[in-house]
Amino acid sequence: TGPLRRVLKYLHGTVYLSLTLDTSNLTFMHGWVDASFAVHLDYRSHTGAVLSLGKGGVISVSRKQRLNTKSSTEAEVVGVDD
């Protein structure tokens, strides 16, 4: 199956989910970053991040890190900068 088909299947299965923003506190912004050490075949780590505004997640990113790291701690530091 192609990537487009997977995206459409995901959207069809999550049509009941919604983005919720609390308009009373839109000045509150929070970010989270996490990394998984050496999870790809080329031993690169993976980083994920979410930025929230108020009480709802606004932006999310997930990707393979550009640098090879030597430890999970180093992967976390690279993930914040990546």
Side-chain angles (χ1 to χ4, degrees):
T1 62
L4 179 60
R5 185 174 178 172
R6 283 186 298 185
V7 169
L8 292 175
K9 185 176 180 181
Y10 171 79
L11 291 174
H12 184 290
T14 58
V15 72
Y16 60 91
L17 298 177
S18 63
L19 175 65
T20 304
L21 291 176
D22 182 7
T23 58
S24 66
N25 196 7
L26 290 180
T27 59
F28 180 71
M29 185 178 285
H30 215 141
W32 296 269
V33 177
D34 194 21
S36 295
F37 175 62
V39 293
H40 295 282
L41 293 176
D42 59 358
Y43 297 105
R44 296 231 175 150
S45 301
H46 202 92
T47 299
V50 175
L51 181 65
S52 70
L53 182 62
K55 291 186 178 179
V58 177
I59 299 171
S60 65
V61 177
S62 177
R63 65 175 166 218
K64 185 191 292 190
Q65 290 183 354
R66 292 178 280 173
L67 300 173
N68 278 341
T69 55
K70 297 177 183 170
S71 69
S72 58
T73 302
E74 190 177 7
E76 295 282 346
V77 172
V78 169
V80 171
D81 187 51
D82 217 10

